[in-house]
Amino acid sequence: MIKEKQVGVTMDTTVRFRIAREEDVSEIVQMLADDELGRKRERYEQPLPSCYLEAFQAIDQDHNNELVVAVKSEEVIGVLQLTYIPYLTYQGGWRALIESVRVHSRARGSGIGEQLMTWAIQWAKEKGCHVVQLTTDKQRPDALRFYKKLGFVDSHEGMKYHL
């Protein structure tokens, strides 16, 4: 189970990271849908489509997946999904895959994304992963710059085949 850690110096600026709960799913989907690309693929509506709760339950029950939220003043302001992948390469090493990184539009530019990513990298290291990898859509140049600033290197060419 994930440890909850706090970052910050006062109650007003403290950000906590924890495993998402079912009651967080609506806020998470709202963040995922809150940009040009997200609006094309997500359905944020009330009631929330059941497919999101079904996906949450599958993630929550999989010990190699963690849906992590950043919380400030009891409000969910960020999210990412960590998936732990065992490999035969690197002598049976483990990798962490980071996906679906979002910060609430009201909190963008405040350092929350950097705190969330730094926390996730450290958490993956503590779990014994030898590498952290991610993909970002080429239509998100700001995200690409952000990840490079954190030390990620575009060392591989990624491809997807949509079914």
Side-chain angles (χ1 to χ4, degrees):
M1 188 61 165
I2 202 164
K3 296 180 208 171
E4 185 172 299
K5 296 186 179 183
Q6 294 193 14
V7 178
V9 288
T10 68
M11 287 306 286
D12 294 334
T13 61
T14 299
V15 177
R16 295 180 297 115
F17 305 102
R18 63 166 171 78
I19 288 290
R21 296 180 266 225
E22 190 168 318
E23 60 264 23
D24 300 325
V25 174
S26 182
E27 290 175 83
I28 292 169
V29 173
Q30 184 178 22
M31 283 188 288
L32 294 175
D34 188 23
D35 72 9
E36 186 177 333
L37 294 176
R39 279 188 287 280
K40 293 177 183 176
R41 60 182 174 218
E42 305 305 339
R43 286 180 40 216
Y44 177 68
E45 54 194 50
Q46 295 300 326
L48 198 62
S50 62
C51 58
Y52 289 109
L53 294 175
E54 291 165 8
F56 170 79
Q57 290 165 359
I59 293 165
D60 194 48
Q61 293 172 13
D62 183 342
H63 70 277
N64 284 326
N65 272 286
E66 295 172 334
L67 190 62
V68 178
V69 291
V71 180
K72 182 177 178 183
S73 301
E74 302 310 313
E75 179 185 5
V76 173
I77 58 169
V79 65
L80 62 73
Q81 182 172 338
L82 275 165
T83 301
Y84 304 102
I85 309 166
Y87 278 78
L88 288 177
T89 60
Y90 287 89
Q91 302 169 41
W94 282 75
R95 298 177 187 207
L97 175 66
I98 297 177
E99 289 285 334
S100 302
V101 179
R102 291 292 189 290
V103 172
H104 197 288
S105 58
R106 292 188 310 269
R108 290 184 192 140
S110 67
I112 301 299
E114 186 172 346
Q115 290 177 27
L116 181 59
M117 288 295 295
T118 300
W119 179 89
I121 292 165
Q122 182 59 40
W123 184 242
K125 186 177 180 180
E126 288 180 27
K127 290 194 68 116
C129 295
H130 70 89
V131 71
V132 175
Q133 59 192 37
L134 56 79
T135 62
T136 189
D137 195 298
K138 289 181 179 185
Q139 296 178 65
R140 296 183 191 274
D142 292 340
L144 184 58
R145 280 190 296 276
F146 170 72
Y147 295 129
K148 284 183 176 182
K149 179 182 149 202
L150 292 175
F152 285 86
V153 178
D154 52 356
S155 62
H156 291 68
E157 186 71 26
M159 297 181 178
K160 293 189 179 187
Y161 186 90
H162 286 273
L163 304 175

